[in-house]
Amino acid sequence: MKENKEYIIMPQREKDIFVRGIIPDLNVRFLFANIKETLIEIRNLQNLSIQCEALLGETILGAFLLTTREIKQEHEVIGIHIEGDGAVKKILAFASSFGGVRGIIVPEDASWEGKIYKGKGKGILQVNKFKLNSKKVYSSAVEMRDVPIAKNLEEYISKSDQINAFIGIYSFYDSNNPLLPVEVYGYFFEVLPDTKIEQIDKLTNFIYKTDMIEFLKNIFGEQIYEQKKELKQQFSVRILQSGSIFFYCDCNAGKIENVLFTLGKDEVFQILEEQKQIEITCEFCKKKYIFTENDIIRLFKEKE
Ligand SMILES: [Zn+2]
Protein backbone atom coordinates (compact mmCIF):
# COMPACT_ATOMS: atom_id res chain seq x y z
CA MET A 1 0.00 0.00 0.00
CA LYS A 2 1.25 3.38 -0.92
CA GLU A 3 1.89 5.59 2.01
CA ASN A 4 0.00 8.78 1.70
CA LYS A 5 1.60 11.33 3.87
CA GLU A 6 0.04 14.68 4.12
CA TYR A 7 1.87 17.59 5.55
CA ILE A 8 -0.21 20.35 6.90
CA ILE A 9 1.53 23.60 7.58
CA MET A 10 -0.04 25.12 10.64
CA PRO A 11 -0.20 28.88 10.70
CA GLN A 12 1.89 30.19 13.53
CA ARG A 13 -0.36 30.89 16.46
CA GLU A 14 -0.45 34.57 17.17
CA LYS A 15 0.46 34.90 20.78
CA ASP A 16 -0.83 37.20 23.44
CA ILE A 17 2.30 38.76 24.78
CA PHE A 18 3.59 41.13 27.42
CA VAL A 19 6.76 43.15 27.89
CA ARG A 20 7.98 44.50 31.23
CA GLY A 21 10.79 46.90 31.72
CA ILE A 22 12.05 50.17 33.05
CA ILE A 23 12.97 53.53 31.56
CA PRO A 24 15.92 54.58 33.74
CA ASP A 25 15.94 58.20 32.44
CA LEU A 26 12.41 58.71 33.68
CA ASN A 27 12.60 56.40 36.69
CA VAL A 28 9.44 54.56 35.62
CA ARG A 29 8.49 50.93 35.36
CA PHE A 30 6.27 49.79 32.49
CA LEU A 31 4.22 46.85 31.32
CA PHE A 32 2.71 46.53 27.83
CA ALA A 33 0.34 43.69 27.04
CA ASN A 34 -2.24 42.48 24.55
CA ILE A 35 -4.85 39.73 24.54
CA LYS A 36 -6.78 38.21 21.66
CA GLU A 37 -6.29 34.44 21.48
CA THR A 38 -6.99 34.05 25.20
CA LEU A 39 -10.25 35.94 24.76
CA ILE A 40 -11.33 33.66 21.90
CA GLU A 41 -10.76 30.72 24.24
CA ILE A 42 -12.82 32.32 27.01
CA ARG A 43 -15.54 33.39 24.57
CA ASN A 44 -15.89 29.82 23.32
CA LEU A 45 -15.98 28.37 26.83
CA GLN A 46 -18.52 30.82 28.18
CA ASN A 47 -20.60 31.85 25.15
CA LEU A 48 -19.95 35.54 25.65
CA SER A 49 -21.61 38.32 23.71
CA ILE A 50 -19.07 40.46 21.85
CA GLN A 51 -19.48 43.40 24.21
CA CYS A 52 -19.08 41.11 27.25
CA GLU A 53 -15.95 39.68 25.66
CA ALA A 54 -14.50 43.19 25.24
CA LEU A 55 -15.44 44.33 28.77
CA LEU A 56 -14.16 41.13 30.36
CA GLY A 57 -11.01 41.42 28.22
CA GLU A 58 -10.39 44.95 29.50
CA THR A 59 -10.86 43.79 33.11
CA ILE A 60 -8.58 40.77 32.69
CA LEU A 61 -5.90 42.93 31.07
CA GLY A 62 -6.37 45.46 33.89
CA ALA A 63 -5.75 42.72 36.48
CA PHE A 64 -2.66 41.67 34.58
CA LEU A 65 -1.36 45.26 34.36
CA LEU A 66 -1.67 45.56 38.14
CA THR A 67 0.87 42.75 38.46
CA THR A 68 3.50 45.34 37.36
CA ARG A 69 3.91 46.23 40.97
CA GLU A 70 4.53 42.64 41.99
CA ILE A 71 7.40 41.60 39.77
CA LYS A 72 9.54 40.65 42.75
CA GLN A 73 6.86 38.35 44.05
CA GLU A 74 6.74 35.34 41.84
CA HIS A 75 3.41 33.60 41.28
CA GLU A 76 1.39 36.38 42.76
CA VAL A 77 -2.22 36.65 41.64
CA ILE A 78 -4.26 39.84 41.29
CA GLY A 79 -8.05 39.61 41.28
CA ILE A 80 -10.49 42.31 40.26
CA HIS A 81 -14.06 42.04 41.47
CA ILE A 82 -16.59 44.45 39.99
CA GLU A 83 -20.21 44.86 41.04
CA GLY A 84 -21.98 47.44 38.92
CA ASP A 85 -25.40 48.81 38.10
CA GLY A 86 -25.12 48.57 34.29
CA ALA A 87 -26.24 45.78 31.96
CA VAL A 88 -23.38 43.76 33.46
CA LYS A 89 -23.83 42.99 37.16
CA LYS A 90 -20.58 41.29 38.03
CA ILE A 91 -17.10 40.74 36.63
CA LEU A 92 -14.36 38.60 38.16
CA ALA A 93 -10.89 38.62 36.64
CA PHE A 94 -7.68 36.98 37.83
CA ALA A 95 -4.16 37.35 36.51
CA SER A 96 -0.86 35.98 37.70
CA SER A 97 2.44 37.75 37.15
CA PHE A 98 3.65 34.87 34.93
CA GLY A 99 0.76 35.44 32.46
CA GLY A 100 -2.00 33.00 33.42
CA VAL A 101 -5.43 34.67 33.37
CA ARG A 102 -9.11 33.78 33.79
CA GLY A 103 -12.41 35.57 34.33
CA ILE A 104 -16.20 35.53 34.20
CA ILE A 105 -18.84 38.14 33.46
CA VAL A 106 -22.49 38.04 34.55
CA PRO A 107 -24.76 37.91 32.60
CA GLU A 108 -22.55 36.57 29.82
CA ASP A 109 -24.89 37.63 27.01
CA ALA A 110 -25.45 41.27 28.02
CA SER A 111 -25.56 44.05 25.45
CA TRP A 112 -25.83 47.81 25.84
CA GLU A 113 -25.69 51.10 24.02
CA GLY A 114 -22.57 53.22 23.78
CA LYS A 115 -19.02 52.68 24.93
CA ILE A 116 -17.74 49.42 26.40
CA TYR A 117 -17.30 50.76 29.96
CA LYS A 118 -21.00 51.73 30.01
CA GLY A 119 -21.77 48.02 30.44
CA LYS A 120 -20.50 48.02 34.04
CA GLY A 121 -21.95 51.37 35.06
CA LYS A 122 -20.99 52.48 38.55
CA GLY A 123 -20.66 50.54 41.78
CA ILE A 124 -17.81 48.90 43.67
CA LEU A 125 -14.39 47.84 42.43
CA GLN A 126 -12.40 45.54 44.66
CA VAL A 127 -8.81 44.49 44.10
CA ASN A 128 -7.54 41.33 45.79
CA LYS A 129 -3.88 40.38 45.99
CA PHE A 130 -3.21 36.72 46.64
CA LYS A 131 0.21 36.04 48.07
CA LEU A 132 0.72 32.43 47.15
CA ASN A 133 3.67 31.85 49.46
CA SER A 134 1.99 33.10 52.59
CA LYS A 135 -1.55 32.18 51.41
CA LYS A 136 -2.68 35.65 52.46
CA VAL A 137 -5.22 37.79 50.65
CA TYR A 138 -5.07 41.58 50.74
CA SER A 139 -8.25 43.34 49.63
CA SER A 140 -9.24 46.91 49.13
CA ALA A 141 -12.36 48.30 47.56
CA VAL A 142 -13.02 51.69 46.00
CA GLU A 143 -16.03 53.39 44.56
CA MET A 144 -16.30 52.60 40.85
CA ARG A 145 -17.35 55.54 38.71
CA ASP A 146 -19.03 55.37 35.31
CA VAL A 147 -15.69 55.81 33.50
CA PRO A 148 -13.37 53.39 31.62
CA ILE A 149 -11.78 50.49 33.54
CA ALA A 150 -8.31 52.01 33.05
CA LYS A 151 -9.45 55.24 34.75
CA ASN A 152 -11.04 53.27 37.62
CA LEU A 153 -7.77 51.40 38.12
CA GLU A 154 -5.70 54.60 38.09
CA GLU A 155 -7.98 55.98 40.79
CA TYR A 156 -7.72 52.77 42.78
CA ILE A 157 -3.91 52.94 42.68
CA SER A 158 -3.69 56.58 43.67
CA LYS A 159 -6.10 55.99 46.57
CA SER A 160 -4.80 52.69 47.88
CA ASP A 161 -1.08 52.94 47.15
CA GLN A 162 -0.59 56.68 46.78
CA ILE A 163 1.64 56.40 43.77
CA ASN A 164 1.47 57.93 40.32
CA ALA A 165 0.48 55.49 37.64
CA PHE A 166 -0.71 55.87 34.07
CA ILE A 167 -2.91 53.15 32.65
CA GLY A 168 -4.47 52.81 29.20
CA ILE A 169 -6.63 49.89 28.06
CA TYR A 170 -8.17 49.81 24.58
CA SER A 171 -10.47 47.17 23.12
CA PHE A 172 -11.22 46.71 19.42
CA TYR A 173 -14.07 44.74 17.94
CA ASP A 174 -16.61 44.92 15.15
CA SER A 175 -20.18 44.82 16.46
CA ASN A 176 -21.44 44.11 12.93
CA ASN A 177 -19.19 41.11 12.72
CA PRO A 178 -19.28 39.39 16.12
CA LEU A 179 -17.34 36.37 14.87
CA LEU A 180 -14.20 38.45 14.42
CA PRO A 181 -11.87 38.38 17.42
CA VAL A 182 -11.79 41.10 20.04
CA GLU A 183 -8.37 42.58 20.70
CA VAL A 184 -7.38 44.41 23.84
CA TYR A 185 -4.16 46.40 24.30
CA GLY A 186 -2.89 48.02 27.44
CA TYR A 187 -0.03 49.91 29.06
CA PHE A 188 0.94 50.65 32.62
CA PHE A 189 3.57 53.18 33.63
CA GLU A 190 4.43 53.35 37.30
CA VAL A 191 6.42 56.26 38.61
CA LEU A 192 9.03 54.91 41.04
CA PRO A 193 9.91 56.57 44.35
CA ASP A 194 12.22 59.63 44.25
CA THR A 195 11.26 60.56 40.71
CA LYS A 196 11.77 64.24 39.87
CA ILE A 197 8.92 66.41 38.66
CA GLU A 198 10.74 66.92 35.31
CA GLN A 199 10.84 63.17 34.78
CA ILE A 200 7.09 62.85 35.42
CA ASP A 201 6.52 65.75 33.00
CA LYS A 202 8.56 63.98 30.32
CA LEU A 203 6.50 60.82 30.80
CA THR A 204 3.14 62.62 30.64
CA ASN A 205 4.37 64.44 27.56
CA PHE A 206 5.31 61.17 25.93
CA ILE A 207 1.89 59.61 26.75
CA TYR A 208 -0.13 62.58 25.54
CA LYS A 209 1.91 63.32 22.45
CA THR A 210 2.11 59.71 21.33
CA ASP A 211 -0.83 57.93 19.73
CA MET A 212 -0.75 55.20 22.38
CA ILE A 213 -3.11 52.95 20.45
CA GLU A 214 -0.79 53.00 17.42
CA PHE A 215 2.20 52.69 19.71
CA LEU A 216 0.84 49.53 21.35
CA LYS A 217 -0.40 48.03 18.10
CA ASN A 218 3.07 48.47 16.66
CA ILE A 219 4.71 46.94 19.70
CA PHE A 220 2.65 43.80 19.29
CA GLY A 221 2.54 43.87 15.52
CA GLU A 222 5.22 43.32 12.94
CA GLN A 223 7.09 46.44 13.81
CA ILE A 224 7.88 45.29 17.32
CA TYR A 225 11.65 45.73 16.86
CA GLU A 226 11.32 49.06 15.09
CA GLN A 227 9.09 50.38 17.83
CA LYS A 228 11.42 49.29 20.56
CA LYS A 229 14.17 51.12 18.74
CA GLU A 230 12.04 54.24 18.56
CA LEU A 231 11.23 54.08 22.24
CA LYS A 232 14.92 53.58 22.83
CA GLN A 233 15.73 56.66 20.77
CA GLN A 234 13.51 58.82 22.94
CA PHE A 235 14.49 57.16 26.20
CA SER A 236 16.79 54.30 26.95
CA VAL A 237 14.66 51.30 27.78
CA ARG A 238 15.59 48.20 29.70
CA ILE A 239 13.42 45.18 28.96
CA LEU A 240 13.27 43.06 32.10
CA GLN A 241 10.95 40.31 31.03
CA SER A 242 8.66 39.30 28.21
CA GLY A 243 6.29 36.38 27.96
CA SER A 244 2.88 35.24 26.88
CA ILE A 245 -0.56 35.62 28.36
CA PHE A 246 -2.66 32.48 28.35
CA PHE A 247 -5.86 31.06 29.79
CA TYR A 248 -5.19 29.32 33.08
CA CYS A 249 -7.70 27.88 35.53
CA ASP A 250 -6.37 26.42 38.74
CA CYS A 251 -9.53 24.62 39.79
CA ASN A 252 -9.13 21.08 41.12
CA ALA A 253 -11.11 18.45 43.00
CA GLY A 254 -9.73 19.62 46.34
CA LYS A 255 -11.00 23.18 45.84
CA ILE A 256 -14.42 21.94 44.73
CA GLU A 257 -14.54 19.70 47.83
CA ASN A 258 -13.96 22.79 49.95
CA VAL A 259 -17.00 24.38 48.29
CA LEU A 260 -19.02 21.35 49.36
CA PHE A 261 -17.74 21.63 52.93
CA THR A 262 -18.75 25.27 53.15
CA LEU A 263 -22.25 24.32 52.00
CA GLY A 264 -22.47 22.06 55.03
CA LYS A 265 -23.27 18.37 55.51
CA ASP A 266 -27.07 18.75 55.76
CA GLU A 267 -27.34 20.82 52.60
CA VAL A 268 -25.03 18.52 50.61
CA PHE A 269 -26.88 15.37 51.63
CA GLN A 270 -30.18 16.97 50.76
CA ILE A 271 -28.97 17.77 47.21
CA LEU A 272 -27.64 14.21 47.00
CA GLU A 273 -31.03 12.79 47.93
CA GLU A 274 -32.74 14.85 45.22
CA GLN A 275 -30.21 14.35 42.42
CA LYS A 276 -28.47 11.06 43.35
CA GLN A 277 -25.09 12.66 42.60
CA ILE A 278 -23.62 16.13 42.86
CA GLU A 279 -22.37 17.87 39.78
CA ILE A 280 -20.38 21.08 40.10
CA THR A 281 -19.13 22.99 37.07
CA CYS A 282 -16.20 25.38 37.38
CA GLU A 283 -17.56 28.73 36.25
CA PHE A 284 -14.23 29.76 34.69
CA CYS A 285 -13.21 26.73 32.60
CA LYS A 286 -16.53 24.82 32.61
CA LYS A 287 -14.84 21.64 33.81
CA LYS A 288 -17.37 19.29 35.46
CA TYR A 289 -16.77 17.65 38.82
CA ILE A 290 -19.09 14.78 39.69
CA PHE A 291 -19.43 13.39 43.21
CA THR A 292 -21.29 10.13 43.81
CA GLU A 293 -22.95 9.23 47.09
CA ASN A 294 -19.87 7.18 48.06
CA ASP A 295 -17.58 10.14 47.32
CA ILE A 296 -19.69 12.40 49.53
CA ILE A 297 -19.85 9.93 52.41
CA ARG A 298 -16.08 9.45 52.24
CA LEU A 299 -15.46 13.20 52.07
CA PHE A 300 -17.45 14.07 55.13
CA LYS A 301 -15.97 11.09 57.01
CA GLU A 302 -12.46 12.36 56.28
CA LYS A 303 -13.42 15.80 57.45
CA GLU A 304 -14.84 14.65 60.77
ZN1 LIG B 1 -11.74 25.71 36.30
Side-chain angles (χ1 to χ4, degrees):
M1 211 172 89
K2 214 172 104 186
E3 206 180 349
N4 191 4
K5 264 190 186 167
E6 234 181 305
Y7 291 97
I8 301 166
I9 297 165
M10 294 292 289
Q12 208 184 356
R13 187 181 176 273
E14 259 184 83
K15 279 203 183 121
D16 297 344
I17 55 173
F18 67 86
V19 185
R20 290 180 202 277
I22 51 172
I23 306 174
D25 293 350
L26 304 183
N27 205 29
V28 298
R29 183 149 55 180
F30 67 82
L31 172 56
F32 305 137
N34 84 315
I35 46 172
K36 180 170 124 186
E37 295 297 323
T38 312
L39 284 179
I40 295 174
E41 212 173 327
I42 296 174
R43 169 212 281 190
N44 291 340
L45 277 170
Q46 303 179 2
N47 271 321
L48 303 179
S49 68
I50 191 149
Q51 283 175 308
C52 281
E53 185 181 345
L55 185 57
L56 180 60
E58 288 194 12
T59 316
I60 287 174
L61 201 69
F64 182 70
L65 292 177
L66 291 188
T67 66
T68 313
R69 314 216 51 227
E70 317 296 347
I71 192 166
K72 282 178 209 141
Q73 304 277 339
E74 227 177 300
H75 298 312
E76 186 143 74
V77 172
I78 297 282
I80 294 180
H81 182 166
I82 283 173
E83 304 257 354
D85 66 354
V88 166
K89 301 298 166 213
K90 182 176 151 187
I91 309 173
L92 291 177
F94 296 92
S96 60
S97 45
F98 63 88
V101 298
R102 67 183 189 280
I104 52 162
I105 184 161
V106 183
E108 72 280 353
D109 56 354
S111 64
W112 56 92
E113 294 294 315
K115 298 229 159 65
I116 275 303
Y117 70 83
K118 290 284 176 195
K120 64 175 180 54
K122 54 188 189 324
I124 297 286
L125 182 143
Q126 186 176 36
V127 175
N128 301 308
K129 295 179 194 182
F130 301 86
K131 308 262 176 193
L132 293 193
N133 292 336
S134 60
K135 301 213 168 196
K136 276 187 185 155
V137 183
Y138 299 89
S139 299
S140 56
V142 290
E143 186 198 336
M144 176 177 72
R145 296 193 299 120
D146 190 13
V147 294
I149 299 263
K151 197 87 211 139
N152 287 135
L153 293 178
E154 268 183 11
E155 287 176 4
Y156 156 78
I157 287 172
S158 70
K159 267 183 203 156
S160 68
D161 300 356
Q162 297 178 358
I163 57 150
N164 272 317
F166 302 88
I167 304 176
I169 301 171
Y170 311 97
S171 54
F172 298 91
Y173 65 97
D174 182 352
S175 50
N176 296 320
N177 209 339
L179 290 177
L180 287 180
V182 173
E183 285 190 74
V184 186
Y185 299 88
Y187 68 81
F188 185 115
F189 289 102
E190 179 195 343
V191 177
L192 298 170
D194 304 320
T195 303
K196 296 187 187 80
I197 295 286
E198 303 90 74
Q199 291 173 311
I200 299 178
D201 281 350
K202 269 188 195 162
L203 175 65
T204 22
N205 249 323
F206 169 72
I207 293 171
Y208 290 110
K209 283 191 179 155
T210 309
D211 180 343
M212 290 307 285
I213 294 173
E214 275 306 301
F215 174 80
L216 290 167
K217 278 189 172 178
N218 288 338
I219 280 196
F220 298 114
E222 289 159 23
Q223 298 166 47
I224 178 160
Y225 301 106
E226 283 304 308
Q227 193 68 43
K228 269 187 197 164
K229 229 189 278 164
E230 193 186 301
L231 190 68
K232 271 180 188 160
Q233 276 163 11
Q234 292 195 42
F235 315 108
S236 66
V237 169
R238 259 180 59 203
I239 306 284
L240 298 176
Q241 186 192 23
S242 63
S244 39
I245 296 184
F246 53 92
F247 179 76
Y248 173 74
C249 188
D250 62 352
C251 68
N252 57 48
K255 284 186 181 176
I256 304 290
E257 284 169 7
N258 283 334
V259 174
L260 290 176
F261 288 136
T262 40
L263 277 175
K265 198 174 175 177
D266 292 348
E267 175 95 30
V268 170
F269 276 90
Q270 202 183 326
I271 303 171
L272 193 63
E273 207 167 291
E274 287 160 11
Q275 303 174 3
K276 305 298 167 215
Q277 63 177 22
I278 294 183
E279 197 179 297
I280 295 182
T281 305
C282 169
E283 51 190 346
F284 294 95
C285 68
K286 302 293 176 190
K287 188 172 171 189
K288 270 189 191 143
Y289 292 87
I290 294 169
F291 297 87
T292 61
E293 189 174 359
N294 281 341
D295 293 334
I296 301 288
I297 291 169
R298 179 184 49 82
L299 270 179
F300 279 92
K301 241 187 206 149
E302 278 170 14
K303 181 83 172 172
E304 276 161 2

